Each structure stands twice: as C-alpha cells, then as structure tokens.
Amino acid sequence: AGAAAKKVADAAGTLADQVIGGGDVVPGVPAPKPPSLEEPTDPTGPLPPKPDQKGATPFSPTGAESADTEDAARQQGEFLTTAQGARVADTDHSQKAGRRGPTLLQDHHLREKITHFDHERIPERVVHARGAGAHGVFEANGAAASVCRAGLFAQGAQTEVFVRFSTVLGSRGSADTVRDTRGFATKFYSEEGTWDLVGNNIPVFFIQDAIKFPDVIHAGKPHPDREIPQAQSAHDTFWDFVSLHTEGQAHAMWNMSDRGIPRSYRMMEGFGVHTFRLINAAGETNLVKFHWKPHLGVHSLVWEEAQIAAGMDPDLHRRDLADAIEAGAFPKWDLGIQVFPDTVDSNGVSEMFHGIDLLDPTKFVPEELAPVQVIGTMTLNANPKNYFAETEQIAFHPGHLVPGIDVTNDPLLQGRLFSYLDTQISRLGGPNFGQLPINRPHAPVNDMLRDGMHQTADHVGVAPYKPNSLDGGCPFLAGADDGALVEVAQHIADAQVVRDAPATFDDHYSQATLFYNSMTEVEKEHIAGAYTFELGKCYEENIKVRQVEQLAHIDHDLAVTVATGLGLPAPAKVPVAEVVTSPALSQIGREWPSDGRLIGILVTEASDVAAVKALEQAVFDDDMVPLVIAPTGGTLGGSDADDAETVTVSRTYRTQRSIEFDALVVVDLPADANTDVLISEMFRHKKAIASLAPVDQFVDFGLTADTPGVVVVDEAAGVLPALKPLLATHRAWDRPDPARV
Ligand code: HDD
C-alpha cells in the first residue's frame, strides 16, 4: 500500500510539474539525490534493553520483565509506522504538488510527525527542574518494626524504589555542580501503597511556613528582568530575602558550606527534614526524622572544581550516577531514623526534644543527642530506560503515605501536602498522571476517581460512589486498623484561628552557629569563601552590609572575614548563642571507603603497556574505576581491544579534565599543556597523586616527595597500597596551596 501510494504521489508530482511548467525537472527522470549514509536494510524488531536498562517500568528488582513492559515501550514490530500502525515507506520527504511545488495539507504523516513534535515538551518543574533518577530496591532490617507497622519496614522486606536527585533553582538544562541544595526524593512502591520520602541533602529549610515558599523561590530564581543568573543564589534578590527573612540563615549557612557542592549524588546524605509520626502495631506513636547515609561517605567538590565542571561537564552528577550503575558499582544508602518520644515536655508542650522544636523545619537534631538508627538499606541497581517517561514524569508527594507513617503539624509540611498534587496537575496535564507507568503503585489500585484528561483506564461497573448496591458494594472499605491516612488521636489545644508562629520558632541563629562551630578550619575557610563570592556578586551595598550583620549573629570572626573580603567595615559585635558542637556534621577527619572512585592513569606513547594494563586491572580489582589518559584515542599496545595485552584509552589529553578523577597515577609525565593543567589542578584541589615517574620531573608544579598526598613509587604494584590511604581521607587537606597558579 505504501509503495502504491508513493507511485501515485510521484505521478501527481510529475503531472503538476508539467502543468505548472515550472522547474528544471525532466519528466520521468528522477532528480539527483545527495549521497546518503546507507542504513542496514534487513528488518529487525526493536532492540532489547541494554543490561543497565533493566529498570523498565514496571520494574522488578529480580530483573524479570512484567507482561506489559512491551506495551509500555510502544515499539512493536520491525517497520516504521504512523501512530495508527500504518507502515511508512518514506519519512524524509513531505508530499508536494510537484518536486518544487508547495507542500500538501493532506500529508497526514507530515502533519502527525510535526504536530506531535510541537507538543513534545511539558512544563519543567517549578523547582527541582534539573534531576537524575534510578531504580533500586530497599531492604528493611526490621529495626523499625517496633515503632512502625508499615510492612516495608518488616525484617527482610524488599520494596522497589525509584529515586530522583535534583538541584533546586536551575532550569532543566542547567549545570549539575552549581552551589545549591540537592533534592533526594524516593518513591517506595510498597505492597501497602506508595510511600514517597521527598527530602533534601540538607536537614533544615529556608522557611518555617509553606506560605513563604513562593517568596523564597522568587528570590532565589533568576532576576525577572534579565533572567540571570541561572541556577545559583549568588545574586541580589536571594541575599535581599535571606538577610531580611532571618529564619533562612541556617539553611543559607549549610548551602555556603561544602554540602552545597557535592562530589556526586552517590556521596550525599539525605534528610526527610520534617518530623514524622510513626505508629506501631499496638497503636503507640513516636516522632522521627529520616536520614539517608551513603555507603561511600559524604564528599564534596572544591569550589573551583564545581565551576570548571559547570563548563567542562555540566552533566557530571548525572553521568556519574548512570556510569556507576551501568558499571555495576551500585550506590547504596542506609535509611536511619532518629526517634523522639511523642509526649509533652515539662512546659506541657508537645513535639519538643531537648529544647528543639520538632515542628520547626529550620531546626535539626544533632546526632549526638539522638543517634541515627539504621532501619534498612537502599541499593540503586538500574538506570531508567527513558529519561522522559521515568525521571521527568515521576511525581512525588509528601502526602503519599502508607499505614504506620503519618505527618505532623509542621507548617511547612502542611503546605507541601497541598502543593505537590496541585503542581503536577498542571505539569503533567491533568489529574490522571498516576496512571503513567512510573507513577503506578505496585499495590492494587481500586479508587473511585473517574474520567478526566488522559484517562487510560477502562473502568468497569456503574457505581463509582459509596455506598452502593449496584456494584455489590464494591470497592470495600479497609478495616479501621489497616488503612492508611488514619488519623492518630491527637489533642489539639483549644485553638483560636491565628496567623502566627510559636515563640520557639523565633530563634534563627543558634543552629547556624552550631553548624559553623562544628566545622574544621578548612571547612570554615570554604564557608567564608562562599559567602564572600556570593555577596561579591551582589550589586547592592545595603544587601551586603545587612547580610554581614546577620553573620555577626552567627559568628563574629566569620562576619569580619567576609566583610574584609567585600571591602566593608567590620560589623558591630552582638551576642552569639552558646552552643555545643556536633562533630557528626563535619565531612573532614573521617575515613571513607574508596569503592567506585575514579582513578586517572596518565601515560605517554612511550609508557610500558604491560605495566599500564596491570595497574588498570589492580584498580578494577579494588572496586575502583580506572580511566587511562593517553595522547590520542584508540588503544595502546595493539589495535585489537579484546587482546589481553591491549589497553583501551578512556580519555585523551584533550578530553580529560581533572574534575573527573579522585586520584591521578602518573605513569610517565607528558610534555603537554593540557596535562600540565591536569596536574596543577590535581595538586591545587589537594587530590591524591601517585607517580611512577621521578619526582624531580615535577619541580615546576611545586611538587616534591614530601608534598602531602603525593606518593612516588618504583613499580606499578606499589601504587594502590600507597594510594588507598590517601583516598580514604578524600583529600590531602594539609597540602599547602601553591605559591603561584
Ligand atoms: Fe518541594 C519538588 C523537596 C518544601 C513545593 N521538593 C520538590 C522535589 C524535592 C522537594 C526533592 C523534587 C521532587 C522530584 O524529584 O520530582 N520541598 C522539598 C523539601 C522541602 C520542600 C525537602 C522542605 C522540607 N516544596 C516545599 C514547599 C513547597 C514545595 C514548602 C510548597 C509550598 N516542591 C514543591 C513543588 C514541587 C517540589 C512545587 C515542584 C515539582 C513537584 O513538586 O512535583 O510542588
């Protein structure tokens, strides 16, 4: 049929050319075509998913594909078709009245193709637009069973999950490594319904009441006139808001710390932020805060790396997550809870713990006061098959709860319970986005919601209402004890309607001081540098002055350092809260596993291929990732990449950049400007360097055998034993900065 239609069209074209007499086409002689690359001509069905794409929706942690996977893929048969399944013989030319004539409106294939394309984009998320996701599984260890009756916390229970990490402020195409809070949202597809833990990598928030959310986001987003700067808080409106709305100071302090520029999504903590209420089988309640603890430890970039990455590899975090999962280095996090009694304190006030108001989302509870108890482990083990279908269309909601997990009266959480469904109705085009494969619960769904835009269900029965007799009373109600969203009996004190907050919400500085005081000297320097950079990007002097005055309420020395950097007078001294410190907040001074770290191996044309091969294998065997950096692409030691004696080049001198590597092994030192930059950056960013080349070759870099974090070894076998202790501390913080860059 397709061929016949084409013949008709060709004939019409020839006729039209003759009638209009236009053009230089000789009737019957095909016009010369530009040379084109040849496509394979044997029809084959759609390619099966790549091994790392096993996470088809619906996803199964065992890898077993469910029956409707093929349907969800919407790619059946081996031929190109229209959306109606009619085979297409030519998708490169539109129908025209003659070869040089106008295009015909009757060409349905043309109109369908372009119309669909015109509607391919959906609105990006109003916040957290830039993100990356992965499938995985959560396995409970049973430790939460005494405080929570949710089935997903029963010992050994396995629950499929999808996680989406994100930045907050940037647009969908913005860079990954900007200074910002990171979203850490997890969807647990539990047998009792879906639970969403929609958290961040920072345990406190900018505002105490959801009614301020549009204000803080308007202030943080680019200026409305020029729409700059993109994806960052280093501008006047942000600091204007934060310096005036002082409850934002604690979160701002976390953002200015190294937490604002994570090394990788795999190396970030996550926090539920709010206090939640758990209910156990006996109906007893406890208050909790949720924590994700990464097995790889908490690591950050240094500021210069973050800036370089934003230009060299704006997808650094997205790529890092996908590559690790594809390589089988599955990232893992422990889920933990801090548990607080659900009682009233000596003043008769509920939801208080050691004087910390658990309903105030600008406060966290130091781990030293309430230890984080591990209740299970999450492993991310499959990349999405299709970014749009899964990562873009997934819809999280803090109100997606299962029996045993309930909300509290935190006024920020209460507002969130409204916002997410509301935004998704406009973002995903109507009220039925829950039917999208990625959003479908893995528990049976039998609701009485009907019709609406993009309805894909064929609902049966005649009585989507209750009570009914026509559908035999279906669907039935759960028993009082096994439903979700069951209100825990709470006494609400005789209340008057107010627009106000409790007095315990008035302290805006003490936890910023606690955080700052818990940092090591290096981390404090980074914080001062970040404030000085961000405020230095502001134009309005009064905003800078006001924010420096705010810092004086947190730490006077910090305020003076920042003021000096900005060329402002030192602010007056004001009383600062006397607080304890929480060593758990510091990222430095601890040792972390080296699994999944990226090791650059720098070689020249003259390098010993057998030694490089051995080194590469040793890195692999130690669960790290070797990336060989050579003058040109291709292979070393022969052209057959499968040959045991051949090394495949991962990066060339031109495509490499230091930001990717956690450590560098110099097999031979090239004489090359690009690799000079590599070494000087590795040096400046205090990353581990091992050299098989003599140390005196490095004199121009200011690097000697005594430089902290540098090891010089004689043979390939000695490299990893020397390098691993250095990787454990992440960076050689005691390495002095070079005299000149
Ligand atoms: Fe939110 C998205 C986390 C307060 C309104 N939020 C969103 C995402 C994360 C968070 C991780 C991205 C989810 C995804 O990957 O799809 N939000 C938080 C945390 C908060 C918080 C940890 C405070 C503790 N958010 C918050 C408030 C409001 C919102 C107070 C509104 C009153 N958040 C939204 C939203 C988004 C969203 C507008 C944008 C896209 C979406 O929900 O689906 O509804």
Side-chain angles (χ1 to χ4, degrees):
K6 184 159 190 318
K7 269 193 201 137
V8 172
D10 282 346
T14 311
L15 185 65
D17 289 335
Q18 287 167 344
V19 172
I20 331 168
D24 48 9
V25 178
V26 180
V29 178
K33 295 225 165 104
S36 64
L37 292 173
E38 281 196 7
E39 270 192 320
T41 49
D42 286 344
T44 64
L47 296 177
K50 295 200 312 180
D52 69 300
Q53 290 184 310
K54 257 196 256 127
T57 44
F59 170 76
S60 151
T62 58
E65 307 253 330
S66 81
D68 49 351
T69 299
E70 200 190 341
D71 200 34
R74 298 281 301 166
Q75 283 155 288
Q76 301 142 357
E78 56 269 39
F79 290 102
L80 176 69
T81 70
T82 65
Q84 302 307 311
R87 285 188 192 174
V88 173
D90 180 347
T91 191
D92 298 338
H93 303 93
S94 51
Q95 278 185 349
K96 302 172 198 79
R99 286 207 173 92
R100 299 171 64 81
T103 301
L104 299 180
L105 186 62
Q106 67 174 22
D107 184 350
H108 179 69
H109 179 49
L110 163 74
R111 282 186 292 114
E112 180 185 76
K113 189 172 174 181
I114 291 191
T115 308
H116 196 279
F117 169 77
D118 290 344
H119 297 270
E120 271 177 15
R121 298 283 171 272
I122 61 171
E124 65 175 30
R125 287 167 174 80
V126 58
V127 284
H128 295 266
R130 169 87 185 164
H135 293 269
V137 62
F138 172 74
E139 181 164 349
N141 65 9
S146 61
V147 288
C148 184
R149 66 190 168 97
L152 78 137
F153 292 144
Q155 184 172 13
Q158 290 199 352
T159 304
E160 293 162 36
V161 297
F162 189 92
V163 175
R164 184 174 179 274
F165 303 106
S166 48
T167 52
V168 179
L169 290 175
S171 292
R172 205 182 133 184
S174 56
D176 280 342
T177 59
V178 295
R179 182 178 292 284
D180 196 357
T181 305
R182 299 299 185 285
F184 190 140
T186 311
K187 191 177 279 295
F188 296 78
Y189 300 93
S190 108
E191 288 172 11
E192 296 171 312
T194 298
W195 175 43
D196 289 348
L197 182 57
V198 196
N200 281 341
N201 76 327
I202 287 178
V204 294
F205 205 67
F206 280 114
I207 47 169
Q208 294 168 322
D209 189 317
I211 199 167
K212 297 302 299 174
F213 193 66
D215 300 77
V216 66
I217 299 302
H218 287 171
K221 282 276 187 181
H223 288 219
D225 48 0
R226 301 178 180 194
E227 220 196 19
I228 50 175
Q230 178 57 246
Q232 51 193 293
S233 52
H235 56 102
D236 286 285
T237 53
F238 176 78
W239 288 104
D240 187 30
F241 178 83
V242 177
S243 59
L244 289 169
H245 201 69
T246 53
E247 68 199 39
Q249 288 295 326
H251 191 163
M253 169 65 77
W254 280 78
N255 274 28
M256 293 308 110
S257 80
D258 293 344
R259 304 270 176 158
I261 42 173
R263 160 75 180 88
S264 150
Y265 288 137
R266 299 181 289 140
M267 300 167 198
M268 266 180 5
E269 284 183 305
F271 303 90
V273 183
H274 312 284
T275 304
F276 291 83
R277 181 171 271 110
L278 300 186
I279 309 109
N280 66 12
E284 296 155 346
T285 63
N286 276 283
L287 300 170
V288 297
K289 283 184 181 286
F290 290 102
H291 295 242
W292 288 114
K293 296 278 184 190
H295 281 201
L296 294 181
V298 191
H299 296 304
S300 294
L301 299 169
V302 295
W303 179 230
E304 192 186 39
E305 284 177 303
Q307 289 178 302
I308 294 170
M312 283 296 296
D313 188 4
D315 309 306
L316 184 80
H317 289 161
R318 186 179 280 193
R319 184 190 318 288
D320 170 272
L321 180 68
D323 279 357
I325 292 173
E326 188 168 337
F330 298 146
K332 290 181 198 286
W333 286 260
D334 287 333
L335 180 64
I337 47 175
Q338 289 178 296
V339 185
F340 321 107
D342 192 7
T343 50
V344 292
D345 70 4
S346 52
N347 299 320
V349 183
S350 58
E351 291 109 351
M352 296 291 294
F353 185 74
H354 286 262
I356 299 169
D357 192 333
L358 298 175
L359 297 186
D360 177 353
T362 66
K363 305 286 188 327
F364 67 99
V365 178
E367 291 183 27
E368 290 77 5
L369 286 181
V372 176
Q373 303 172 51
V374 175
I375 63 172
T377 302
M378 174 171 75
T379 306
L380 297 184
N381 55 16
N383 284 316
K385 269 184 174 172
N386 182 281
Y387 182 89
F388 181 84
E390 299 165 70
T391 314
E392 191 61 15
Q393 294 201 118
I394 195 163
F396 295 94
H397 194 311
H400 290 167
L401 300 163
V402 290
I405 307 176
D406 202 358
V407 297
T408 56
N409 296 337
D410 173 341
L412 192 74
L413 176 57
Q414 296 278 319
R416 293 180 75 193
L417 295 174
F418 166 73
S419 182
Y420 288 69
L421 173 57
D422 183 46
T423 201
Q424 283 148 8
I425 288 174
S426 91
R427 183 169 75 83
L428 298 169
N432 289 316
F433 58 84
Q435 296 176 6
L436 293 166
I438 192 70
N439 291 325
R440 260 184 237 155
H442 294 193
V445 174
N446 195 353
D447 58 36
M448 295 190 296
L449 311 173
R450 289 294 180 272
D451 307 343
M453 301 279 276
H454 311 135
Q455 178 61 256
T456 56
D458 287 339
H459 289 113
V460 294
V462 294
Y465 57 83
K466 279 199 80 67
N468 77 67
S469 63
L470 289 177
D471 279 350
C474 288
F476 296 111
L477 295 176
D481 292 339
D482 55 347
L485 309 174
V486 176
E487 304 74 32
V488 176
Q490 272 187 81
H491 176 67
I492 309 275
D494 296 338
Q496 292 196 341
V497 174
V498 290
R499 279 193 193 275
D500 206 349
T504 40
F505 278 36
D506 288 347
D507 162 23
H508 296 172
Y509 303 116
S510 69
Q511 285 216 328
T513 304
L514 194 168
F515 179 83
Y516 183 73
N517 287 359
S518 305
M519 296 292 107
T520 57
E521 280 313 305
V522 171
E523 290 167 303
K524 285 183 176 173
E525 278 170 29
H526 292 171
I527 290 173
Y531 277 109
T532 313
F533 174 87
E534 295 247 331
L535 292 167
K537 290 283 188 173
C538 293
Y539 294 94
E540 297 291 333
E541 177 104 347
N542 61 352
I543 292 175
K544 301 184 207 190
V545 170
R546 199 165 54 222
Q547 177 56 32
V548 168
E549 285 168 0
Q550 286 297 306
L551 290 181
H553 290 271
I554 297 167
D555 184 272
H556 191 256
D557 288 346
L558 171 65
V560 171
T561 308
V562 175
T564 308
L566 296 170
L568 295 174
K573 230 175 166 163
V574 290
V576 169
E578 302 241 336
V579 291
V580 291
T581 56
S582 168
L585 293 174
S586 169
Q587 293 176 219
I588 295 179
R590 290 194 256 173
E591 301 211 337
W592 304 104
S594 53
D595 309 22
R597 293 311 186 76
L598 302 178
I599 312 298
I601 302 175
L602 182 59
V603 306
T604 65
E605 301 92 338
S607 293
D608 173 359
V609 178
V612 177
K613 186 86 192 170
L615 200 51
E616 190 184 37
Q617 191 59 46
V619 173
F620 258 133
D621 292 346
D622 240 330
D623 292 329
M624 294 183 278
V625 182
L627 294 168
V628 173
I629 310 161
T632 61
T635 52
L636 305 174
S639 57
D640 181 0
D642 293 333
D643 183 338
E645 297 310 312
T646 303
V647 172
T648 303
V649 174
S650 307
R651 301 287 183 271
T652 69
Y653 291 175
R654 279 182 182 279
T655 60
Q656 59 74 29
R657 193 75 194 237
S658 71
I659 45 161
E660 225 180 338
F661 313 118
D662 294 295
L664 183 70
V665 181
V666 183
V667 176
D668 289 293
L669 183 66
D672 181 277
N674 296 297
T675 56
D676 279 359
V677 173
L678 167 67
I679 292 167
S680 65
E681 283 175 0
M682 296 295 295
F683 184 88
R684 207 157 65 238
H685 302 153
K686 305 184 194 298
K687 292 182 188 171
I689 302 172
S691 182
L692 286 155
V695 73
D696 55 10
Q697 293 184 3
F698 294 88
V699 67
D700 289 343
F701 298 99
L703 191 156
T704 70
D706 298 330
T707 305
V710 172
V711 285
V712 182
V713 279
D714 298 334
E715 51 175 12
V719 169
L720 280 191
L723 209 52
K724 282 193 70 173
L726 302 178
L727 280 165
T729 56
H730 198 211
R731 294 181 201 259
W733 292 114
D734 51 344
R735 182 186 298 166
D737 290 323
R740 299 288 294 270
V741 173

